Amino acid sequence: MKRWKGTSGAAAGLAALMLFVSACSGTENKETNGGQASASASSSSSATEQTENSAAPNGPLDKYDPPIEITTVRIVNDTYKYDEGESIDNNVWTRTIQDKLGITVKNNWVVSGDAPGGQGEQKMNVSIASGDLPDFIPVNSRQLKQLVEADLLMDLTDVYEQFASPFAKEILNQDGPNALASATFGGKLMAIPNTTSSMDNAMLLWVRSDWLNKLNLPEPRTMEDVYAISEAFTTQDPDGNGKPDSIGISLNKDLYGGYAGVDGFMNGFHAYPRQWIQDESGQLIYGSIQPEMKQALAKLQEMYKKGEIDREFGVKDSGKAAEFAAAGRAGMHFGQMWNPLWPLVDNKKNDSDAEWQAYPLVSVDDRVAQPRTDLAVGTYYAVLKKAKNPEALLKIINLFVETGWGESTTPDNYAEHFTKGGVERHKYIPFQAWPARKNLDIHLHLLEAANSGDKSKLNPEEQDNERQISEYLSGKEGTELGWAYERVFGKDGSFKVINQYVSGNLILANEFYGAPTSTMVEKDATLQKMELEVFSKIIMGDSIDNFDKFVSDWKKLGGDAITAEVNEWKAAK
């Protein structure tokens, strides 16, 4: 990936959430699109004619003269903050897009509520149903499929090839070809995906390393080691308070997710809940109903009976589960790379001696444990056929990636447009794409700078991380956030493990990255609720044979139909 030029200055007020962008922005909408519905055969030529008629400047960042106006809509949330006198319609990015590209962005409507099924998604569904759509449309995978099937969208294949900058193309392909493939229908690129990072979502094993040392336990290398550590953390009073109040492994009531989920534990049994995998014949099968899941659930039940899992996990969400870690009562969990920033930093604030270490997933046998991740696409940007300047979408994305990580930007320019004064300004721009390797590169660049003593090549975000880590390591008070960044980006941080995953080609992808099938839309919510209830009850003591009944019920209540549809999608790719 390109490295910008610039040797001084640091982005002011870079907060923990900047780390989460590439990790989490794709997780709000895990439904991604790879269907094969056909679009109009004339859409590609239509896009070319419209581009020529509007006399679009050819360069990736060339300015329109005279200026143009484009329409879109925005779905925001309560984390959007503005300087006095500014708004989503008037901010540093709207001005920069006008100044640099000659584009005025008009928002037809703005709605707060970006969670799946929230007000934003509902408003977009109403807009699609009524046909009251802007020229440039941010949609999820289901909505994209609807618009393609309604033959309303422009084929962006030629527009992408002509106007996406080489750097933008690099970023859009950095996490693999499936991101663009998920927006491709019948061989035509019908939207541009907002790419993030699947590697950032890979599961890790987090352990209280100070407790390991206190109890003279070995580092976890096998699942048997995890069992032994869990038992010791539960029975040997690792916090030294004389009370039997610590647990081995944290879980949350939703079972899955980036903190205290079962995903990483299951992966150690080569089980992949809520993921589609290939069987020996090449057919796609649903991971949650495979025999490996039963074996893993039986072991979790055994650990629960021994008191190694919180007796009340079934009623505690991830926030409540996090309170155990913050209070120093939990010694281990499966989670993602960002866990030191939340909730483990709270444990460090409460107990300066607390230390957490990330380890690779461990296996129950002699096969290596591999994490499996979803496609990291948060949103798709589609363009109506009637749009006069479809290439404006690519120009804005080009500007975003160049400002963030390109060679022409500067530290001051980055700070002005991304995070300044604690305000996350990067959220203002309507069309984005994030590099998959951003966070891994921070880790590698900080290691390089530490080894060489030369910090001049660090970009502003890296400079800020290095400063906070250095302040913590020097013993400065009130630098727990520096501890968290060190646990993520440092020499032995979580990205050391992710780099091992990437270097060893160990991260597995969800084999299905298509839009929800028709039966998924109708039945999947019910099936997932059933899965959660059955698995939770098994862990808490129900007969393990209830798993077999769950498999049978899942298949009868829509699972077999979904499996057939998923394999039809695979065959049509």
Side-chain angles (χ1 to χ4, degrees), residues 356-428:
W356 288 86
Q357 178 65 50
Y359 295 95
L361 297 182
V362 296
S363 177
V364 72
D365 54 29
D366 57 1
R367 291 170 53 198
V368 66
Q370 295 182 255
R372 188 178 291 271
T373 64
D374 285 308
L375 181 68
V377 175
T379 302
Y380 294 87
Y381 306 121
V383 182
L384 285 185
K385 283 185 177 181
K386 67 181 181 64
K388 293 182 180 179
N389 295 98
E391 74 289 337
L393 168 63
L394 276 308
K395 285 180 173 290
I396 291 174
I397 291 175
N398 293 341
L399 181 63
F400 178 77
V401 300
E402 186 63 26
T403 303
W405 308 278
E407 291 183 349
S408 69
T409 194
T410 65
D412 288 344
N413 193 35
Y414 175 90
E416 184 73 15
H417 290 84
F418 277 72
T419 301
K420 184 176 181 179
V423 177
E424 295 172 310
R425 297 177 165 204
H426 59 85
K427 294 182 176 181
Y428 303 159

Side-chain angles (χ1 to χ4, degrees), residues 58-72:
N58 289 325
L61 293 172
D62 286 354
K63 185 176 181 178
Y64 290 93
D65 187 14
I68 65 168
E69 179 180 278
I70 65 172
T71 59
T72 188

Side-chain angles (χ1 to χ4, degrees), residues 237-301:
D237 191 24
D239 57 4
N241 69 355
K243 301 177 182 179
D245 59 354
S246 56
I247 59 172
I249 293 184
S250 292
L251 292 185
N252 73 78
K253 70 180 182 65
D254 299 313
L255 292 186
Y256 307 117
Y259 172 72
V262 300
D263 315 54
F265 185 86
M266 298 295 183
N267 293 168
F269 285 77
H270 318 297
Y272 305 100
R274 296 192 176 178
Q275 300 273 321
W276 290 88
I277 60 179
Q278 283 197 42
D279 65 11
E280 294 180 356
S281 69
Q283 291 292 103
L284 298 189
I285 55 177
Y286 190 55
S288 291
I289 65 171
Q290 304 311 310
E292 292 83 0
M293 286 291 297
K294 184 177 182 179
Q295 183 186 5
L297 286 169
K299 189 63 186 182
L300 286 173
Q301 183 187 84

Side-chain angles (χ1 to χ4, degrees), residues 137-165:
I137 320 166
V139 291
N140 62 32
S141 60
R142 183 186 291 112
Q143 294 162 340
L144 176 60
K145 184 178 180 182
Q146 285 180 286
L147 292 171
V148 169
E149 291 176 344
D151 197 24
L152 294 174
L153 299 183
M154 186 179 296
D155 176 6
L156 298 178
T157 306
D158 293 341
V159 177
Y160 169 79
E161 288 300 330
Q162 182 177 352
F163 289 97
S165 69

